[in-house]
Amino acid sequence: ENYLSQSKSDHHSKGVSRLCKRANFLRNFKAIIIQSAYRGHSTRVNHGGKMRSSTLIQSVARGFLARKHKLAMVTKIVLIQSILRRQMAVRNAAQLRSDLEDLSCTRIQSHWRCHYRSATIP
């Protein structure tokens, strides 16, 4: 009988102990949920500021790289244009020289023929 009453009281105290532990767990769990929600909110708010900062840094960096790339491209384009213009000027000068020589030869021939005709016509 002593054994039975002892085991019933042990059972009862174990049940009460379990209920107390469960109540403590639920109380702590609610606190954990509240803390977790606050930490999440705080992180999102702070992270939003960091996101804006990182976006600004990225946009400034992209703009710098785009301007640098554009300057390099413009420099190359100007170089190519100057080379082509020089080649065209050399060709035009050669053509003008050739045309001038042809014109000079034609004039000399024309003058010579006039002179020759006037000298041979009695």
Short mmCIF file of all heavy atoms in Angstrom, two decimals, residues 60-72:
data_model
loop_
_atom_site.label_atom_id
_atom_site.label_comp_id
_atom_site.label_asym_id
_atom_site.label_seq_id
_atom_site.Cartn_x
_atom_site.Cartn_y
_atom_site.Cartn_z
N VAL A 60 26.50 54.43 -59.20
CA VAL A 60 27.63 55.34 -59.40
C VAL A 60 28.76 54.60 -60.12
O VAL A 60 29.37 55.13 -61.06
CB VAL A 60 28.10 55.94 -58.06
CG1 VAL A 60 29.43 56.65 -58.21
CG2 VAL A 60 27.06 56.88 -57.50
N ALA A 61 29.04 53.37 -59.70
CA ALA A 61 30.11 52.59 -60.32
C ALA A 61 29.78 52.29 -61.79
O ALA A 61 30.64 52.42 -62.67
CB ALA A 61 30.33 51.29 -59.56
N ARG A 62 28.53 51.92 -62.06
CA ARG A 62 28.14 51.64 -63.46
C ARG A 62 28.26 52.89 -64.32
O ARG A 62 28.71 52.82 -65.47
CB ARG A 62 26.71 51.11 -63.50
CG ARG A 62 26.58 49.69 -63.07
CD ARG A 62 25.19 49.14 -63.38
NE ARG A 62 25.01 47.89 -62.71
CZ ARG A 62 24.17 47.68 -61.70
NH1 ARG A 62 23.40 48.67 -61.28
NH2 ARG A 62 24.08 46.51 -61.13
N GLY A 63 27.85 54.03 -63.77
CA GLY A 63 27.97 55.28 -64.52
C GLY A 63 29.41 55.61 -64.82
O GLY A 63 29.76 56.02 -65.93
N PHE A 64 30.29 55.43 -63.83
CA PHE A 64 31.72 55.69 -64.03
C PHE A 64 32.28 54.79 -65.12
O PHE A 64 33.00 55.25 -66.01
CB PHE A 64 32.48 55.47 -62.71
CG PHE A 64 33.96 55.47 -62.85
CD1 PHE A 64 34.65 56.67 -63.01
CD2 PHE A 64 34.69 54.29 -62.85
CE1 PHE A 64 36.02 56.68 -63.16
CE2 PHE A 64 36.06 54.30 -63.00
CZ PHE A 64 36.73 55.50 -63.15
N LEU A 65 31.95 53.50 -65.04
CA LEU A 65 32.46 52.56 -66.05
C LEU A 65 31.91 52.87 -67.44
O LEU A 65 32.63 52.76 -68.43
CB LEU A 65 32.11 51.13 -65.64
CG LEU A 65 32.85 50.61 -64.40
CD1 LEU A 65 32.33 49.22 -64.01
CD2 LEU A 65 34.34 50.57 -64.62
N ALA A 66 30.65 53.28 -67.51
CA ALA A 66 30.07 53.61 -68.82
C ALA A 66 30.76 54.84 -69.41
O ALA A 66 31.07 54.88 -70.61
CB ALA A 66 28.57 53.87 -68.67
N ARG A 67 31.01 55.87 -68.57
CA ARG A 67 31.70 57.06 -69.08
C ARG A 67 33.12 56.73 -69.50
O ARG A 67 33.61 57.22 -70.53
CB ARG A 67 31.70 58.17 -68.02
CG ARG A 67 30.37 58.86 -67.87
CD ARG A 67 30.46 60.06 -66.95
NE ARG A 67 30.81 59.70 -65.59
CZ ARG A 67 29.97 59.24 -64.67
NH1 ARG A 67 28.70 59.09 -64.98
NH2 ARG A 67 30.38 58.96 -63.46
N LYS A 68 33.78 55.88 -68.74
CA LYS A 68 35.15 55.47 -69.08
C LYS A 68 35.16 54.71 -70.41
O LYS A 68 36.01 54.95 -71.27
CB LYS A 68 35.70 54.60 -67.95
CG LYS A 68 37.14 54.20 -68.10
CD LYS A 68 37.60 53.40 -66.91
CE LYS A 68 38.98 52.84 -67.10
NZ LYS A 68 39.40 52.01 -65.98
N HIS A 69 34.20 53.81 -70.58
CA HIS A 69 34.09 53.03 -71.82
C HIS A 69 33.79 53.95 -73.00
O HIS A 69 34.37 53.80 -74.08
CB HIS A 69 33.00 51.97 -71.66
CG HIS A 69 32.79 51.14 -72.88
ND1 HIS A 69 33.70 50.20 -73.31
CD2 HIS A 69 31.77 51.10 -73.77
CE1 HIS A 69 33.26 49.64 -74.42
NE2 HIS A 69 32.09 50.16 -74.71
N LYS A 70 32.88 54.91 -72.79
CA LYS A 70 32.54 55.85 -73.86
C LYS A 70 33.75 56.67 -74.26
O LYS A 70 34.00 56.89 -75.46
CB LYS A 70 31.41 56.77 -73.40
CG LYS A 70 30.99 57.77 -74.45
CD LYS A 70 29.94 58.72 -73.93
CE LYS A 70 29.66 59.78 -74.98
NZ LYS A 70 28.84 60.85 -74.44
N LEU A 71 34.52 57.15 -73.29
CA LEU A 71 35.71 57.94 -73.60
C LEU A 71 36.71 57.12 -74.40
O LEU A 71 37.28 57.61 -75.39
CB LEU A 71 36.36 58.44 -72.31
CG LEU A 71 37.62 59.27 -72.47
CD1 LEU A 71 37.30 60.57 -73.20
CD2 LEU A 71 38.25 59.57 -71.12
N ALA A 72 36.90 55.85 -74.03
CA ALA A 72 37.81 54.99 -74.77
C ALA A 72 37.31 54.78 -76.20
O ALA A 72 38.11 54.83 -77.16
CB ALA A 72 37.95 53.64 -74.06
#
